[in-house]
Amino acid sequence: MSLISYKDFEHLTLAEKDYLNKIFKRFNGFPNLEQIWRLMDEVWTKLGCDQYKMDDKKIILFYQHPVWILNGFFIEQDSESIYNIKEIANFIQNQNPKRIIDFGGGFGNLARLLGKSLPGSQIEIFDPYPSKIAIFLISSLKNVKFVKEFSGLYDFMIATDVFEHLDDPINSARNSIKYLRYEGQYLIANCFEPVILCHLPKLFHFNYSWNFVMQELGFKLGKKVAHGRVFHKVKDFDEIKARKIAKFSSTIYPIINKIPRGKNKIGSFLTKIYLKFL
């Protein structure tokens, strides 16, 4: 018996239904977060994906796998995930932006909530691998849609748990912020940690330097919201300086990572000092 509603279950492919039912039987219900991470690692390994040598074909298969549909449904019944989404949605609702884009919005959990709470706003989801069930779930909301590219200017951008998966997050961030208006806001939540194989090790150093990189990409640090932080666009980006900061933090990472505690604070402190000499 599936733990997903009959209406939603009918919009899955046979392969997706089979996979989800096997998982529910294996775990006697929904897996917890750590178990989902291990399931993702199983898929990553089975497909032959490599953290150090990215193969586009294998990566596409990985992000199209139904384990991500499982993750999408899990988010909607996990108390911590629900709390984070609601906190982010409430913050955005209070800003009342008219054009919003969720970069890597995947299953559309947050976009659907925003679509209901901001009926006068247009919410777009940019994700290269949207599932049919995700597309179905937003179909009743006229102000929410998946898009294949950014367009025009947005008032608010969102990227939660995205940049740690990307081969060049500075390039991806730079390309997205071109579409954010001045004084617009970018809410970003990153996890540059080795909790899962699809988090790329070469990016872990951004734990020390991401906020500094964003400042050089034209942003002022704003408040923390749930597991993310808001950045305010205030100037043009300086990619050269941003990459110098990233290079520095990647250089000190192997040393700082050996420290048993306080490594993020020490790494951030050293990066801040380095900034003064740029």
Side-chain angles (χ1 to χ4, degrees):
M1 174 69 77
S2 171
L3 298 182
I4 300 170
S5 73
Y6 177 80
K7 182 181 179 181
D8 294 341
F9 200 69
E10 286 304 298
H11 286 83
L12 298 170
T13 67
L14 289 175
E16 291 166 348
K17 292 176 184 178
D18 182 59
Y19 177 79
L20 293 179
N21 277 329
K22 285 180 178 178
I23 294 302
F24 294 146
K25 183 176 180 180
R26 175 177 168 183
F27 292 95
N28 193 29
F30 267 102
N32 61 35
L33 180 58
E34 289 74 17
Q35 289 168 336
I36 287 181
W37 285 345
R38 299 294 74 81
L39 287 169
M40 290 176 177
D41 285 351
E42 286 180 11
V43 176
W44 178 275
T45 302
K46 184 178 180 180
L47 292 173
C49 297
D50 190 330
Q51 292 178 308
Y52 302 96
K53 187 178 180 181
M54 303 292 281
D55 183 315
D56 288 346
K57 291 182 180 179
K58 293 177 181 178
I59 293 299
I60 289 172
L61 289 174
F62 175 70
Y63 286 109
Q64 289 179 333
H65 193 277
V67 70
W68 292 99
I69 295 176
L70 173 69
N71 183 66
F73 280 119
F74 167 79
I75 287 172
E76 300 196 340
Q77 57 86 48
D78 174 64
S79 58
E80 184 176 353
S81 298
I82 292 170
Y83 170 82
N84 286 334
I85 288 176
K86 286 184 176 180
E87 284 291 296
I88 292 172
N90 287 339
F91 175 83
I92 297 174
Q93 182 178 355
N94 289 335
Q95 311 306 306
N96 195 29
K98 296 306 177 185
R99 288 199 77 210
I100 305 166
I101 189 161
D102 191 351
F103 180 12
F107 205 63
N109 309 80
L110 176 58
R112 280 183 272 123
L113 190 55
L114 289 172
K116 294 173 183 176
S117 62
L118 290 169
S121 300
Q122 182 65 47
I123 297 96
E124 297 179 4
I125 309 168
F126 174 75
D127 195 286
Y129 316 113
S131 62
K132 290 182 179 179
I133 181 65
I135 294 172
F136 163 72
L137 289 172
I138 67 164
S139 61
S140 62
L141 296 166
K142 294 182 179 180
N143 61 332
V144 182
K145 64 180 179 179
F146 279 94
V147 295
K148 295 183 178 180
E149 58 185 11
F150 289 66
S151 64
L153 289 176
Y154 298 94
D155 304 304
F156 206 107
M157 287 183 170
I158 309 156
T160 58
D161 304 310
V162 173
F163 291 115
E164 58 266 42
H165 299 261
L166 303 180
D167 190 53
D168 186 350
I170 290 180
N171 183 61
S172 297
R174 181 203 63 193
N175 288 339
S176 63
I177 62 179
K178 292 187 295 186
Y179 296 94
L180 180 64
R181 67 169 176 82
Y182 281 97
E183 301 302 328
Q185 298 177 80
Y186 206 151
L187 195 154
I188 299 175
N190 294 321
C191 181
F192 294 116
E193 295 280 1
V195 296
I196 186 172
L197 292 176
C198 57
H199 290 182
L200 304 183
K202 70 176 184 178
L203 307 180
F204 294 162
H205 67 90
F206 280 116
N207 258 333
Y208 311 152
S209 59
W210 184 257
N211 287 350
F212 300 114
V213 167
M214 287 298 293
Q215 286 176 315
E216 298 310 322
L217 290 179
F219 288 82
K220 179 177 67 176
L221 270 63
K223 66 180 294 185
K224 290 185 177 180
V225 178
H227 60 312
R229 180 181 289 277
V230 178
F231 298 87
H232 302 264
K233 185 176 180 180
V234 294
K235 61 180 181 179
D236 291 333
F237 60 80
D238 186 338
E239 184 179 352
I240 293 176
K241 201 170 180 180
R243 290 197 179 277
K244 285 182 178 179
I245 294 169
K247 185 177 181 180
F248 175 77
S249 64
S250 67
T251 300
I252 66 172
Y253 177 79
I255 301 170
I256 302 297
N257 196 46
K258 295 178 181 178
I259 299 173
R261 63 185 65 179
K263 60 185 69 176
N264 286 349
K265 287 185 178 181
I266 295 172
S268 296
F269 175 73
L270 292 175
T271 304
K272 188 174 182 179
I273 292 177
Y274 172 75
L275 253 177
K276 294 181 179 180
F277 295 94
L278 282 181

